[in-house]
Short mmCIF file of all heavy atoms in Angstrom, two decimals:
data_model
loop_
_atom_site.label_atom_id
_atom_site.label_comp_id
_atom_site.label_asym_id
_atom_site.label_seq_id
_atom_site.Cartn_x
_atom_site.Cartn_y
_atom_site.Cartn_z
N GLY W 611 7.42 -7.47 31.88
CA GLY W 611 6.31 -8.18 32.51
C GLY W 611 6.77 -9.06 33.64
O GLY W 611 7.95 -9.03 34.04
N LEU W 612 5.83 -9.84 34.16
CA LEU W 612 6.20 -10.80 35.19
C LEU W 612 6.93 -11.94 34.49
O LEU W 612 6.48 -12.45 33.47
CB LEU W 612 4.96 -11.30 35.92
CG LEU W 612 4.25 -10.25 36.79
CD1 LEU W 612 3.14 -10.88 37.61
CD2 LEU W 612 5.23 -9.51 37.71
N GLY W 613 8.06 -12.35 35.06
CA GLY W 613 8.92 -13.30 34.37
C GLY W 613 8.88 -14.70 34.96
O GLY W 613 7.97 -15.04 35.71
N GLY W 614 9.88 -15.49 34.59
CA GLY W 614 9.94 -16.87 35.06
C GLY W 614 9.55 -17.82 33.94
O GLY W 614 9.46 -17.43 32.78
N ARG W 615 9.29 -19.05 34.31
CA ARG W 615 9.03 -20.08 33.29
C ARG W 615 7.65 -19.93 32.66
O ARG W 615 7.41 -20.44 31.57
CB ARG W 615 9.13 -21.47 33.93
CG ARG W 615 10.53 -21.82 34.38
CD ARG W 615 10.57 -23.23 34.92
NE ARG W 615 10.20 -24.21 33.89
CZ ARG W 615 9.98 -25.49 34.16
NH1 ARG W 615 10.07 -25.94 35.40
NH2 ARG W 615 9.66 -26.32 33.19
N TYR W 616 6.72 -19.27 33.37
CA TYR W 616 5.34 -19.28 32.89
C TYR W 616 4.94 -17.99 32.17
O TYR W 616 3.76 -17.70 32.02
CB TYR W 616 4.38 -19.55 34.06
CG TYR W 616 4.66 -20.87 34.72
CD1 TYR W 616 4.96 -20.95 36.07
CD2 TYR W 616 4.67 -22.04 33.97
CE1 TYR W 616 5.24 -22.17 36.67
CE2 TYR W 616 4.96 -23.26 34.55
CZ TYR W 616 5.25 -23.32 35.90
OH TYR W 616 5.54 -24.53 36.48
N VAL W 617 5.94 -17.25 31.69
CA VAL W 617 5.63 -15.98 31.01
C VAL W 617 4.60 -16.16 29.93
O VAL W 617 3.66 -15.38 29.79
CB VAL W 617 6.90 -15.42 30.32
CG1 VAL W 617 6.68 -13.99 29.93
CG2 VAL W 617 8.10 -15.58 31.17
N GLU W 618 4.79 -17.20 29.12
CA GLU W 618 3.90 -17.35 27.96
C GLU W 618 2.52 -17.83 28.36
O GLU W 618 1.58 -17.73 27.59
CB GLU W 618 4.53 -18.28 26.92
CG GLU W 618 5.68 -17.59 26.19
CD GLU W 618 6.39 -18.49 25.20
OE1 GLU W 618 5.69 -19.16 24.42
OE2 GLU W 618 7.64 -18.53 25.24
N VAL W 619 2.41 -18.39 29.58
CA VAL W 619 1.10 -18.81 30.05
C VAL W 619 0.34 -17.59 30.57
O VAL W 619 -0.80 -17.33 30.17
CB VAL W 619 1.22 -19.86 31.17
CG1 VAL W 619 -0.17 -20.24 31.68
CG2 VAL W 619 1.97 -21.09 30.66
N PHE W 620 0.99 -16.80 31.43
CA PHE W 620 0.28 -15.66 32.03
C PHE W 620 0.25 -14.45 31.11
O PHE W 620 -0.67 -13.66 31.15
CB PHE W 620 0.92 -15.30 33.38
CG PHE W 620 0.75 -16.39 34.39
CD1 PHE W 620 1.84 -17.05 34.93
CD2 PHE W 620 -0.53 -16.78 34.77
CE1 PHE W 620 1.66 -18.07 35.85
CE2 PHE W 620 -0.71 -17.80 35.70
CZ PHE W 620 0.40 -18.45 36.23
N ARG W 621 1.27 -14.32 30.31
CA ARG W 621 1.36 -13.18 29.38
C ARG W 621 1.04 -11.86 30.05
O ARG W 621 0.33 -11.02 29.48
CB ARG W 621 0.42 -13.39 28.19
CG ARG W 621 0.87 -14.54 27.34
CD ARG W 621 0.06 -14.69 26.09
NE ARG W 621 0.71 -15.69 25.25
CZ ARG W 621 0.96 -15.54 23.97
NH1 ARG W 621 0.62 -14.45 23.35
NH2 ARG W 621 1.57 -16.49 23.29
N ASP W 622 1.53 -11.69 31.26
CA ASP W 622 1.29 -10.41 31.94
C ASP W 622 2.43 -9.47 31.57
O ASP W 622 3.36 -9.26 32.34
CB ASP W 622 1.20 -10.63 33.45
CG ASP W 622 0.76 -9.37 34.16
OD1 ASP W 622 0.39 -8.40 33.45
OD2 ASP W 622 0.77 -9.36 35.39
N VAL W 623 2.35 -8.96 30.36
CA VAL W 623 3.45 -8.15 29.84
C VAL W 623 2.89 -6.91 29.15
O VAL W 623 1.72 -6.87 28.76
CB VAL W 623 4.30 -8.94 28.81
CG1 VAL W 623 4.97 -10.13 29.45
CG2 VAL W 623 3.46 -9.37 27.62
N ARG W 624 3.74 -5.92 29.00
CA ARG W 624 3.38 -4.73 28.23
C ARG W 624 4.48 -4.44 27.23
O ARG W 624 5.65 -4.72 27.49
CB ARG W 624 3.25 -3.52 29.17
CG ARG W 624 2.02 -3.57 30.04
CD ARG W 624 0.75 -3.40 29.24
NE ARG W 624 0.70 -2.07 28.67
CZ ARG W 624 -0.14 -1.13 29.05
NH1 ARG W 624 -1.01 -1.38 30.00
NH2 ARG W 624 -0.13 0.05 28.47
N PHE W 625 4.08 -3.89 26.09
CA PHE W 625 5.06 -3.56 25.06
C PHE W 625 5.20 -2.06 24.91
O PHE W 625 4.28 -1.30 25.20
CB PHE W 625 4.63 -4.16 23.72
CG PHE W 625 4.85 -5.63 23.66
CD1 PHE W 625 3.89 -6.50 24.15
CD2 PHE W 625 6.02 -6.15 23.15
CE1 PHE W 625 4.09 -7.88 24.12
CE2 PHE W 625 6.23 -7.52 23.11
CZ PHE W 625 5.25 -8.38 23.60
N GLY W 626 6.35 -1.66 24.43
CA GLY W 626 6.56 -0.25 24.12
C GLY W 626 7.36 -0.16 22.83
O GLY W 626 8.20 -1.03 22.55
N VAL W 627 7.07 0.85 22.02
CA VAL W 627 7.85 1.03 20.80
C VAL W 627 8.94 2.08 21.08
O VAL W 627 8.82 2.88 21.99
CB VAL W 627 6.98 1.47 19.60
CG1 VAL W 627 6.04 0.37 19.18
CG2 VAL W 627 6.19 2.72 19.91
N THR W 628 9.99 2.00 20.29
CA THR W 628 11.09 2.93 20.45
C THR W 628 10.92 4.10 19.47
O THR W 628 10.30 3.91 18.42
CB THR W 628 12.43 2.23 20.15
OG1 THR W 628 12.27 1.50 18.93
CG2 THR W 628 12.81 1.29 21.27
N PRO W 629 11.48 5.27 19.75
CA PRO W 629 12.16 5.64 20.99
C PRO W 629 11.18 5.71 22.17
O PRO W 629 10.00 6.01 21.98
CB PRO W 629 12.72 7.03 20.68
CG PRO W 629 11.95 7.53 19.51
CD PRO W 629 11.45 6.35 18.76
#
Side-chain angles (χ1 to χ4, degrees):
L612 292 187
R615 293 183 61 190
Y616 301 122
V617 194
E618 286 177 48
V619 178
F620 294 117
R621 293 186 172 228
D622 188 7
V623 297
R624 288 292 294 250
F625 286 86
V627 293
T628 47

